[in-house]
Amino acid sequence: MKPGSDQQSISLTITDMSHDGKGIGHVDGQTIFVQEAVPGDQIEAAIEIQKKNYAVARCLSITGPSPDRIEPSCPFAKHCGGCSLQSYDYQAQLLLKRRQVIDALTRIGHLEEAESLTGPVIGMQDPLHYRSKVQLPVRGTAEKPLIGFYEANSHTVIDADVCEIQPVICDQIRETIRRHINQYRIEPYNEETHTGVLRHVIIRVGFATGDVMVGLILNQKDVSIAENELARQLKQTIEMWSDDQIKNLHLSCFYIGYNMKKTNNIQTSDYLIVSGQPWIEEQIGSIRYRLSPLAFFQVNPVQTEKLFAEIVRLASLTGNEQIWDLYCGTGSISLQLAQKAKQVIGVESVAEAIQDAQTNAQLNQIDNVTFIHSKSEEMATQLVDQGYLPDLVVVDPPRKGCDASLIETLNQIKPDRIIYVSCNPATLARDISLLLPAGYAVQTIQPVDLFPWTLHVETVVLITRAKE
């Protein structure tokens, strides 16, 4: 069936959602993916792409709305690709995310008891204005710059003046930069021709400290954008803003970054501090973190505190443990655990992250943690050869999951406990399926919602080894 005005419509009920936010229904045994549909909707749709095992359809009308369907509070929700669940009740989102974790662990991980082991998703009391880091592409013209997020499944920028998942101060900063672009005729980046100057605006906010970092990513060097005047305007905008959510807002860091490559990567290590210091600070629990422009850190401070508390709870530390924290990033989990352990070794392949981790250890006067710049799978083998055997291993890998050789090493050295922190239920399930044959058993599965209004979910899993 091909797209066109004479398309035959089909009726279906949406029963699930895909990882990219499409509603899922079934007709005659075939899976149908439909944009802008949520579980429980009854719809009329038209097939636009027909494949052998599935089809993609366009929603023509909603004949019976889901009881969990809501009116989006964001005026840009229909087109913006930033949040795929704006039309879905928040409590229903939490149930959906729990089911996705269970389904992945059952289907991919072959964990029959996944349902009984998985707790309710730890959600937010107020799931708005939670995101502490925002990356906004800039397109259009100097007269009419487009500053927003990409439209779903495209690189078309949806111009916007508000975003309800970021702090309100970010909207004020965006409009200050928009006026500056107009005044100084700064040409936005053109992705097709690889011309123009301003590619991205990056904003980072310390919720506990009020520190604000603003970065502009440029496509050219040796070009004037009146950055000192913009720094003055940003400082004034931020310090004049009164916010009930974040106290004492102030501009701590304003930098210019350079990226002249044809790439989807946003930042490079080539940047210049225009105003302030080369970092902001954030605090989670009792630990203070210093974050440089390139530092990775969870973007939901409220939920990150709950996530870290869950990790520490499951670790059940007595003060005598040797811990490995693999894929440790800026040491955020390592430092939380080091307060209650004998020794922690953190391993991370990104050099800048290790520098931040070492700085954060010094900042908090924590001396029982060592950070090593290396690939986790390579360093794990070296640590074993050097006689370092862990009581607990924490892994927090990227979405692709753990390297296969790391799983092999863990199966060989058999630490008593593994805590797996995952942002991808599918790779989490795959890796667990490789640990179970080595005598491990899953004890607890705890999802945490770090990204309301999206399908992403963080999961903490406690895995223990049966005593021989």
Side-chain angles (χ1 to χ4, degrees):
M1 194 180 301
K2 297 180 180 179
S5 58
D6 59 344
Q7 283 178 287
Q8 180 182 353
S9 66
I10 56 174
S11 300
L12 70 159
T13 299
I14 302 301
T15 58
D16 204 345
M17 292 196 81
S18 65
H19 70 279
D20 58 352
K22 292 184 177 69
I24 299 175
H26 298 87
V27 173
D28 298 330
Q30 185 178 52
T31 301
I32 313 292
F33 295 95
V34 188
Q35 195 77 40
E36 299 178 22
V38 302
D41 279 345
Q42 297 177 31
I43 69 170
E44 291 291 316
I47 302 293
E48 294 199 315
I49 301 174
Q50 180 68 65
K51 298 291 187 179
K52 181 179 179 181
N53 297 319
Y54 71 93
V56 178
R58 172 170 51 91
C59 181
L60 299 175
S61 64
I62 299 173
T63 56
S66 166
D68 296 315
R69 175 174 280 279
I70 61 173
E71 187 65 28
S73 58
C74 174
F76 304 98
K78 184 174 178 62
H79 301 290
C80 177
C83 299
S84 57
L85 296 181
Q86 281 278 340
S87 298
Y88 203 44
D89 177 75
Y90 183 59
Q91 294 305 314
Q93 292 178 41
L94 299 181
L95 295 175
L96 174 65
K97 293 180 183 188
R98 180 177 184 271
R99 187 168 73 248
Q100 288 188 329
V101 171
I102 293 170
D103 288 349
L105 288 168
T106 302
R107 179 173 49 86
I108 303 172
H110 310 295
L111 188 66
E112 295 180 358
E113 60 271 35
E115 174 83 43
S116 61
L117 294 175
T118 303
V121 179
I122 299 174
M124 299 191 73
Q125 184 175 355
D126 179 7
L128 296 175
H129 307 298
Y130 66 81
R131 192 176 177 92
S132 62
K133 182 181 180 182
V134 185
Q135 300 182 138
L136 302 167
V138 184
R139 301 293 185 266
T141 65
E143 295 80 11
K144 190 177 180 180
L146 308 177
I147 311 175
F149 295 100
Y150 291 126
E151 187 176 8
N153 305 313
S154 83
H155 271 205
T156 300
V157 173
I158 301 300
D159 192 33
D161 55 6
V162 297
C163 173
E164 296 204 340
I165 66 169
Q166 65 191 28
V168 180
I169 186 59
C170 297
D171 298 328
Q172 306 302 313
I173 291 170
R174 176 178 6 196
E175 295 313 302
T176 297
I177 293 173
R178 189 190 304 275
R179 291 192 296 271
H180 189 79
I181 293 171
N182 292 152
Q183 181 178 356
Y184 289 92
R185 315 294 294 175
I186 301 168
E187 285 298 323
Y189 180 61
N190 185 311
E191 193 172 24
E192 293 183 0
T193 62
H194 193 53
T195 58
V197 176
L198 180 54
R199 297 178 70 137
H200 275 83
V201 173
I202 299 174
I203 306 169
R204 205 167 198 166
V205 183
F207 278 38
T209 63
D211 289 359
V212 179
M213 175 186 291
V214 180
L216 302 185
I217 307 302
L218 306 187
N219 184 48
Q220 300 176 24
K221 280 192 172 182
D222 302 322
V223 59
S224 174
I225 61 167
E227 55 268 24
N228 291 324
E229 172 59 19
L230 179 55
R232 186 191 68 79
Q233 293 173 7
L234 289 170
K235 184 175 185 297
Q236 183 180 53
T237 295
I238 294 167
E239 294 182 357
M240 287 180 62
W241 183 254
S242 178
D243 196 308
D244 293 335
Q245 180 190 19
I246 307 169
K247 306 299 182 183
N248 304 316
L249 286 163
H250 54 279
L251 182 65
S252 293
C253 175
F254 174 48
Y255 70 95
I256 302 294
Y258 302 98
N259 183 357
M260 281 78 78
K261 296 181 179 180
K262 293 182 179 180
T263 174
N264 289 331
N265 294 332
I266 296 174
Q267 297 210 81
T268 72
S269 57
D270 187 5
Y271 63 88
L272 172 70
I273 303 299
V274 176
S275 176
Q277 57 205 18
W279 66 77
I280 64 169
E281 292 188 359
E282 181 62 287
Q283 184 164 325
I284 305 294
S286 62
I287 302 296
R288 204 167 180 92
Y289 298 94
R290 185 167 290 178
L291 308 175
S292 66
L294 299 182
F296 169 80
F297 201 77
Q298 296 286 6
V299 300
N300 186 333
V302 173
Q303 293 298 94
T304 297
E305 186 161 358
K306 297 176 185 177
L307 175 71
F308 288 174
E310 197 62 25
I311 294 169
V312 172
R313 182 183 73 83
L314 293 177
S316 301
L317 300 177
T318 65
N320 297 314
E321 290 83 4
Q322 300 277 350
I323 299 175
W324 293 357
D325 181 14
L326 307 180
Y327 309 97
C328 73
T330 55
S332 54
I333 295 174
S334 302
L335 297 176
Q336 298 285 335
L337 295 170
Q339 297 175 98
K340 298 185 177 182
K342 182 178 182 180
Q343 183 186 33
V344 179
I345 297 175
V347 183
E348 170 59 49
S349 62
V350 179
E352 292 87 355
I354 285 294
Q355 293 171 6
D356 284 332
Q358 292 167 341
T359 298
N360 289 330
Q362 296 170 2
L363 185 66
N364 291 277
Q365 299 181 326
I366 295 176
D367 58 8
N368 62 331
V369 59
T370 301
F371 291 109
I372 301 173
H373 174 220
S374 174
K375 291 183 178 180
S376 291
E377 57 271 19
E378 295 176 359
M379 183 49 59
T381 302
Q382 294 180 36
L383 289 172
V384 171
D385 292 342
Q386 295 168 18
Y388 291 96
L389 294 176
D391 303 297
L392 167 67
V393 174
V394 177
V395 293
D396 186 7
R399 289 191 63 80
K400 66 181 181 179
C402 293
D403 188 271
S405 63
L406 175 58
I407 299 293
E408 291 177 10
T409 299
L410 294 178
N411 283 337
Q412 290 170 6
I413 65 174
K414 294 181 170 59
D416 287 340
R417 289 175 294 151
I418 299 171
I419 293 179
Y420 196 129
V421 186
S422 171
C423 60
N424 185 344
T427 53
L428 166 68
R430 179 202 67 198
D431 290 347
I432 285 178
S433 73
L434 299 175
L435 290 167
L436 296 181
Y440 282 98
V442 174
Q443 300 297 328
T444 304
I445 304 164
Q446 182 56 65
V448 183
D449 187 23
L450 267 65
F451 307 97
W453 312 106
T454 79
L455 278 158
H456 297 295
V457 61
E458 203 84 3
T459 309
V460 184
V461 181
L462 173 62
I463 307 165
T464 61
R465 183 172 62 87
K467 297 295 182 180
E468 297 177 355

